[in-house]
Amino acid sequence: MGLSSDSANQYGDKARSLIGRARDKQLTAEMFAMQRSNLDTTEQHSAPRLANAARLLEKATQVHVMGMRACFPVAFSLVYVYRLFRQSVHLLEGMGGVREMQLRAMDKGDALVAISFAPYSQETVQAVELARARGCKVLALTDSLASPLSLAADETLLFAVNSPSFFPSVTAAQALAESLLE
C-alpha cells in the first residue's frame, strides 16, 4: 500500500519544516526540551513502581529481555549491565533465526522484560503471550497502560516517546531501564 497524495504531501511538509527548524537550530532546542519533558513524565509515572518491578525480577529464576527495532538498544543495554551481577539474564534477539529456540527457554518461574511502544512489535507481543502461557511473570516497559504488553503484564513501567521529529524517542526508555537496574 502506497502513500496517498495527501499523506505524501503531509510527509513532505513535515520534512521541509524539520529542515528549516534544523537550519535555525530551533529543532535541536526542541529535541532537548522534549527529552527533558519525556524524562519528567516517565519519572512521574514509573518511579513509584520501580521497587515492585525490581522485586519481580529478583524472584525470577531466569530473566529474559526482549526489545525489537528501536527498543533493541534498550534491551541490549539492560542485559549487558544486568549480566555484570546476574548470570541468569538472557537477550531474546533472534539473531540468525533462532528466536523460537530462545523463546523455548522461558519456563515457569522466569520473568520476561518486554520493551515496545506503538506500533507494538508483533514479535514482542507474541513473546509476552508465550511467556504468560508458560507461567512466566511479565514486566512491560511500554508507552501506555492500554498497550498489549501492559494488558498482559504483572507490572508495567511507562516511558514517554514524544519527539518533534518523525520518529518516537527512546531516551526515556533507556533512562527507565537504567533506573530499574539501580
Side-chain angles (χ1 to χ4, degrees):
M1 173 189 291
L3 290 173
S4 71
S5 66
D6 286 343
S7 295
N9 288 338
Q10 289 174 354
Y11 186 82
D13 290 345
K14 183 161 187 171
R16 281 186 285 284
S17 170
L18 287 173
I19 290 168
R21 291 188 347 250
R23 282 189 192 128
D24 297 338
K25 305 228 188 308
Q26 179 184 359
L27 184 57
T28 300
E30 287 178 42
M31 289 295 293
F32 278 96
M34 186 65 68
Q35 299 308 339
R36 283 188 288 277
S37 175
N38 285 345
L39 290 169
D40 289 344
T41 299
T42 299
E43 180 184 14
Q44 290 168 4
H45 285 285
S46 294
R49 294 183 174 95
L50 280 169
N52 287 339
R55 278 192 290 280
L56 183 146
L57 298 181
E58 288 170 1
K59 292 177 182 177
T61 306
Q62 304 276 328
V63 175
H64 308 274
V65 181
M66 187 170 190
M68 303 304 291
R69 292 180 279 290
C71 292
F72 180 78
V74 179
F76 179 86
S77 66
L78 177 65
V79 169
Y80 176 78
V81 175
Y82 203 2
R83 283 198 58 127
L84 293 175
F85 55 92
R86 181 178 181 168
Q87 293 302 304
S88 58
V89 180
H90 312 283
L91 180 63
L92 304 177
E93 35 72 25
M95 190 84 125
V98 298
R99 183 175 304 118
E100 181 185 344
M101 185 180 1
Q102 291 174 332
L103 292 171
R104 271 190 269 145
M106 291 191 299
D107 204 3
K108 186 175 184 170
D110 290 354
L112 171 65
V113 179
I115 309 165
S116 191
F117 57 85
Y120 305 99
S121 156
Q122 285 305 306
E123 299 94 340
T124 306
V125 171
Q126 291 167 355
V128 168
E129 292 167 355
L130 181 62
R132 297 303 302 178
R134 294 210 170 160
C136 299
K137 298 291 185 180
V138 174
L139 170 58
L141 275 64
T142 189
D143 62 337
S144 168
L145 290 175
S147 84
L149 278 63
S150 181
L151 293 174
D154 296 283
E155 188 66 55
T156 297
L157 299 175
L158 295 177
F159 60 89
V161 296
N162 300 315
S163 173
S165 181
F166 285 107
F167 308 104
S169 172
V170 295
T171 300
Q174 184 64 46
L176 185 58
E178 291 177 19
S179 297
L180 179 61
L181 288 167
E182 292 304 317

